[in-house]
Amino acid sequence: MRFTGMAAIVSILIAPHAATADIKRHKAIPEAFWGEWIAGGQSCTKNDQPPLSITASAYSRADSRCTIDWVDETAGRAGAIYSAHLRCSSGEQPQPSVANLILVSREDGMISLGADFKSLQSYQRCPAGAEPRPHIGGPE
Protein backbone atom coordinates (compact mmCIF):
# COMPACT_ATOMS: atom_id res chain seq x y z
CA MET A 1 0.00 0.00 0.00
CA ARG A 2 2.76 2.36 0.91
CA PHE A 3 4.58 1.70 -2.40
CA THR A 4 1.55 2.66 -4.53
CA GLY A 5 1.22 5.93 -2.67
CA MET A 6 4.84 6.76 -3.42
CA ALA A 7 4.37 5.79 -7.09
CA ALA A 8 1.39 8.14 -7.34
CA ILE A 9 3.42 11.02 -5.91
CA VAL A 10 6.29 10.35 -8.34
CA SER A 11 3.93 10.19 -11.32
CA ILE A 12 2.27 13.46 -10.30
CA LEU A 13 5.63 15.19 -10.10
CA ILE A 14 6.84 13.81 -13.44
CA ALA A 15 3.66 14.04 -15.54
CA PRO A 16 3.35 17.85 -15.77
CA HIS A 17 6.97 18.14 -16.90
CA ALA A 18 6.54 15.48 -19.61
CA ALA A 19 3.44 17.21 -21.00
CA THR A 20 5.11 20.54 -21.72
CA ALA A 21 6.67 21.32 -25.09
CA ASP A 22 9.96 23.08 -25.54
CA ILE A 23 9.50 26.29 -27.49
CA LYS A 24 12.39 28.29 -28.87
CA ARG A 25 11.77 31.94 -29.67
CA HIS A 26 13.48 33.54 -32.67
CA LYS A 27 13.57 37.12 -33.95
CA ALA A 28 13.24 36.12 -37.61
CA ILE A 29 11.76 33.53 -39.95
CA PRO A 30 14.30 30.76 -40.72
CA GLU A 31 16.17 31.13 -44.01
CA ALA A 32 14.65 27.91 -45.42
CA PHE A 33 11.34 29.80 -45.82
CA TRP A 34 12.72 32.94 -47.52
CA GLY A 35 11.68 33.54 -51.12
CA GLU A 36 8.73 33.95 -53.43
CA TRP A 37 6.05 31.26 -53.07
CA ILE A 38 2.96 30.30 -55.06
CA ALA A 39 0.15 27.87 -54.25
CA GLY A 40 1.11 24.28 -55.07
CA GLY A 41 0.48 23.29 -58.69
CA GLN A 42 0.29 26.87 -60.00
CA SER A 43 2.74 28.70 -62.24
CA CYS A 44 4.91 31.52 -60.94
CA THR A 45 4.67 33.48 -64.19
CA LYS A 46 1.09 32.88 -65.36
CA ASN A 47 -0.88 33.00 -62.14
CA ASP A 48 -3.67 35.53 -61.61
CA GLN A 49 -2.60 36.00 -57.98
CA PRO A 50 0.80 37.45 -57.17
CA PRO A 51 2.95 35.10 -55.12
CA LEU A 52 3.58 35.63 -51.49
CA SER A 53 6.98 36.74 -50.30
CA ILE A 54 8.81 35.71 -47.13
CA THR A 55 11.97 37.33 -45.79
CA ALA A 56 13.63 37.15 -42.39
CA SER A 57 11.49 40.02 -41.10
CA ALA A 58 8.47 40.27 -43.41
CA TYR A 59 5.64 38.30 -44.96
CA SER A 60 3.64 39.86 -47.79
CA ARG A 61 0.77 38.85 -50.02
CA ALA A 62 -1.30 40.68 -52.59
CA ASP A 63 -3.64 42.08 -49.94
CA SER A 64 -1.32 42.75 -47.00
CA ARG A 65 2.18 43.33 -45.74
CA CYS A 66 3.27 41.95 -42.38
CA THR A 67 6.30 42.47 -40.18
CA ILE A 68 7.55 39.72 -37.92
CA ASP A 69 7.38 40.37 -34.17
CA TRP A 70 8.78 36.94 -33.26
CA VAL A 71 8.77 33.30 -34.36
CA ASP A 72 8.25 30.32 -32.05
CA GLU A 73 9.82 26.96 -32.96
CA THR A 74 8.30 23.74 -31.63
CA ALA A 75 9.42 20.19 -32.38
CA GLY A 76 7.01 18.26 -34.56
CA ARG A 77 6.79 14.66 -35.69
CA ALA A 78 8.30 15.41 -39.13
CA GLY A 79 10.52 18.33 -38.07
CA ALA A 80 10.26 21.81 -36.63
CA ILE A 81 6.97 23.71 -36.71
CA TYR A 82 7.22 27.50 -36.70
CA SER A 83 4.57 29.97 -35.60
CA ALA A 84 5.21 33.57 -36.60
CA HIS A 85 3.54 36.41 -34.69
CA LEU A 86 2.82 39.11 -37.25
CA ARG A 87 1.74 42.74 -37.33
CA CYS A 88 -0.07 43.27 -40.65
CA SER A 89 -1.38 46.25 -42.57
CA SER A 90 -3.39 46.54 -45.75
CA GLY A 91 -4.72 49.39 -47.84
CA GLU A 92 -8.12 49.33 -46.10
CA GLN A 93 -6.94 49.20 -42.48
CA PRO A 94 -5.55 52.33 -40.84
CA GLN A 95 -4.24 50.34 -37.84
CA PRO A 96 -2.09 47.20 -38.11
CA SER A 97 -3.73 43.96 -37.06
CA VAL A 98 -2.12 41.05 -35.23
CA ALA A 99 -2.00 37.67 -36.94
CA ASN A 100 -0.29 34.31 -36.61
CA LEU A 101 1.23 32.25 -39.40
CA ILE A 102 2.19 28.59 -39.06
CA LEU A 103 5.11 27.54 -41.28
CA VAL A 104 6.01 23.90 -41.87
CA SER A 105 8.79 22.76 -44.22
CA ARG A 106 8.08 19.58 -46.15
CA GLU A 107 10.45 16.98 -47.58
CA ASP A 108 9.29 17.57 -51.17
CA GLY A 109 10.72 21.12 -51.22
CA MET A 110 7.34 22.65 -50.55
CA ILE A 111 6.05 24.39 -47.45
CA SER A 112 2.69 24.52 -45.72
CA LEU A 113 1.37 27.85 -44.45
CA GLY A 114 -1.78 28.86 -42.63
CA ALA A 115 -3.29 30.76 -39.75
CA ASP A 116 -3.90 27.46 -37.93
CA PHE A 117 -3.38 23.75 -38.56
CA LYS A 118 -6.83 23.35 -40.15
CA SER A 119 -6.08 26.01 -42.78
CA LEU A 120 -2.59 24.90 -43.87
CA GLN A 121 -2.05 25.12 -47.63
CA SER A 122 0.85 23.86 -49.75
CA TYR A 123 3.17 26.32 -51.50
CA GLN A 124 6.06 25.83 -53.90
CA ARG A 125 9.02 28.17 -54.28
CA CYS A 126 9.22 30.23 -57.45
CA PRO A 127 12.58 29.57 -59.08
CA ALA A 128 15.06 32.44 -59.26
CA GLY A 129 14.58 34.36 -62.49
CA ALA A 130 10.95 33.27 -62.91
CA GLU A 131 9.95 36.93 -62.66
CA PRO A 132 6.86 36.53 -60.51
CA ARG A 133 4.17 39.14 -60.86
CA PRO A 134 4.88 42.31 -58.86
CA HIS A 135 3.53 42.82 -55.37
CA ILE A 136 0.23 44.71 -55.37
CA GLY A 137 -0.94 46.53 -52.30
CA GLY A 138 0.89 48.07 -49.35
CA PRO A 139 4.38 49.50 -49.32
CA GLU A 140 7.33 47.28 -50.15
Side-chain angles (χ1 to χ4, degrees):
M1 187 76 160
R2 188 171 175 194
F3 180 74
T4 48
M6 184 62 115
I9 291 171
V10 169
S11 65
I12 290 171
L13 294 174
I14 293 174
H17 179 67
T20 62
D22 290 328
I23 299 173
K24 296 179 188 174
R25 182 151 294 178
H26 304 281
K27 293 182 180 181
I29 291 179
E31 190 172 354
F33 294 99
W34 299 355
E36 302 287 326
W37 299 88
I38 195 87
Q42 296 184 355
S43 169
C44 290
T45 57
K46 297 178 181 175
N47 189 10
D48 293 336
Q49 293 255 349
L52 57 93
S53 176
I54 301 174
T55 66
S57 60
Y59 167 80
S60 59
R61 300 175 359 158
D63 58 349
S64 64
R65 169 114 172 118
C66 305
T67 56
I68 308 302
D69 287 338
W70 69 81
V71 179
D72 288 335
E73 175 184 358
T74 307
R77 198 175 321 145
I81 299 169
Y82 297 92
S83 176
H85 186 267
L86 312 171
R87 202 164 296 279
C88 303
S89 59
S90 67
E92 303 97 41
Q93 295 178 339
Q95 294 291 337
S97 61
V98 174
N100 289 309
L101 177 68
I102 294 174
L103 304 101
V104 181
S105 181
R106 298 184 1 201
E107 288 182 14
D108 57 5
M110 297 181 72
I111 60 173
S112 295
L113 304 174
D116 55 42
F117 287 105
K118 290 180 182 180
S119 67
L120 289 177
Q121 294 183 342
S122 296
Y123 289 86
Q124 63 189 21
R125 188 186 310 269
C126 289
E131 297 182 22
R133 294 173 51 107
H135 174 79
I136 301 170
E140 287 295 319

mmCIF file of all heavy atoms in Angstrom, residues 23 40 42 58-59 82 88-89 113 118:
data_model
loop_
_atom_site.group_PDB
_atom_site.id
_atom_site.type_symbol
_atom_site.label_atom_id
_atom_site.label_comp_id
_atom_site.label_asym_id
_atom_site.label_seq_id
_atom_site.Cartn_x
_atom_site.Cartn_y
_atom_site.Cartn_z
ATOM 1 N N ILE A 23 9.699 25.290 -26.461
ATOM 2 C CA ILE A 23 9.497 26.292 -27.493
ATOM 3 C C ILE A 23 10.701 27.213 -27.504
ATOM 4 O O ILE A 23 11.094 27.741 -26.473
ATOM 5 C CB ILE A 23 8.210 27.108 -27.242
ATOM 6 C CG1 ILE A 23 6.993 26.186 -27.265
ATOM 7 C CG2 ILE A 23 8.078 28.217 -28.274
ATOM 8 C CD1 ILE A 23 5.704 26.860 -26.874
ATOM 9 N N GLY A 40 0.666 25.510 -54.426
ATOM 10 C CA GLY A 40 1.109 24.284 -55.074
ATOM 11 C C GLY A 40 0.364 24.001 -56.362
ATOM 12 O O GLY A 40 -0.853 24.150 -56.429
ATOM 13 N N GLN A 42 0.503 25.700 -59.160
ATOM 14 C CA GLN A 42 0.295 26.875 -60.001
ATOM 15 C C GLN A 42 1.624 27.363 -60.565
ATOM 16 O O GLN A 42 2.687 27.015 -60.070
ATOM 17 C CB GLN A 42 -0.395 27.977 -59.214
ATOM 18 C CG GLN A 42 -1.789 27.587 -58.770
ATOM 19 C CD GLN A 42 -2.508 28.726 -58.083
ATOM 20 O OE1 GLN A 42 -1.950 29.781 -57.846
ATOM 21 N NE2 GLN A 42 -3.760 28.502 -57.747
ATOM 22 N N ALA A 58 9.739 39.858 -42.809
ATOM 23 C CA ALA A 58 8.468 40.271 -43.405
ATOM 24 C C ALA A 58 7.797 39.119 -44.149
ATOM 25 O O ALA A 58 8.446 38.188 -44.627
ATOM 26 C CB ALA A 58 8.699 41.433 -44.368
ATOM 27 N N TYR A 59 6.482 39.231 -44.229
ATOM 28 C CA TYR A 59 5.635 38.296 -44.960
ATOM 29 C C TYR A 59 4.645 39.158 -45.718
ATOM 30 O O TYR A 59 3.956 39.999 -45.119
ATOM 31 C CB TYR A 59 4.907 37.378 -43.962
ATOM 32 C CG TYR A 59 3.778 36.562 -44.540
ATOM 33 C CD1 TYR A 59 4.030 35.389 -45.244
ATOM 34 C CD2 TYR A 59 2.454 36.947 -44.371
ATOM 35 C CE1 TYR A 59 2.994 34.630 -45.761
ATOM 36 C CE2 TYR A 59 1.411 36.193 -44.875
ATOM 37 C CZ TYR A 59 1.683 35.040 -45.570
ATOM 38 O OH TYR A 59 0.663 34.284 -46.085
ATOM 39 N N TYR A 82 7.003 26.104 -37.075
ATOM 40 C CA TYR A 82 7.218 27.496 -36.703
ATOM 41 C C TYR A 82 5.885 28.230 -36.671
ATOM 42 O O TYR A 82 5.007 27.995 -37.492
ATOM 43 C CB TYR A 82 8.152 28.179 -37.706
ATOM 44 C CG TYR A 82 9.526 27.559 -37.727
ATOM 45 C CD1 TYR A 82 9.833 26.531 -38.615
ATOM 46 C CD2 TYR A 82 10.508 27.977 -36.840
ATOM 47 C CE1 TYR A 82 11.084 25.946 -38.626
ATOM 48 C CE2 TYR A 82 11.768 27.393 -36.844
ATOM 49 C CZ TYR A 82 12.043 26.386 -37.738
ATOM 50 O OH TYR A 82 13.284 25.803 -37.741
ATOM 51 N N CYS A 88 0.251 43.108 -39.236
ATOM 52 C CA CYS A 88 -0.073 43.267 -40.654
ATOM 53 C C CYS A 88 -0.846 44.549 -40.938
ATOM 54 O O CYS A 88 -1.655 44.997 -40.126
ATOM 55 C CB CYS A 88 -0.903 42.080 -41.133
ATOM 56 S SG CYS A 88 -0.109 40.490 -40.887
ATOM 57 N N SER A 89 -0.615 45.082 -42.121
ATOM 58 C CA SER A 89 -1.380 46.247 -42.574
ATOM 59 C C SER A 89 -1.791 46.012 -44.024
ATOM 60 O O SER A 89 -1.143 45.291 -44.767
ATOM 61 C CB SER A 89 -0.542 47.519 -42.457
ATOM 62 O OG SER A 89 0.625 47.411 -43.223
ATOM 63 N N LEU A 113 1.608 26.605 -45.172
ATOM 64 C CA LEU A 113 1.374 27.846 -44.448
ATOM 65 C C LEU A 113 -0.101 27.971 -44.116
ATOM 66 O O LEU A 113 -0.951 27.558 -44.889
ATOM 67 C CB LEU A 113 1.765 29.065 -45.300
ATOM 68 C CG LEU A 113 3.178 29.148 -45.842
ATOM 69 C CD1 LEU A 113 3.310 30.349 -46.775
ATOM 70 C CD2 LEU A 113 4.166 29.259 -44.713
ATOM 71 N N LYS A 118 -5.718 23.729 -39.282
ATOM 72 C CA LYS A 118 -6.829 23.349 -40.155
ATOM 73 C C LYS A 118 -6.779 24.073 -41.497
ATOM 74 O O LYS A 118 -7.360 23.613 -42.466
ATOM 75 C CB LYS A 118 -8.165 23.631 -39.471
ATOM 76 C CG LYS A 118 -8.439 22.708 -38.311
ATOM 77 C CD LYS A 118 -9.771 23.027 -37.671
ATOM 78 C CE LYS A 118 -10.013 22.118 -36.486
ATOM 79 N NZ LYS A 118 -11.289 22.402 -35.835
#
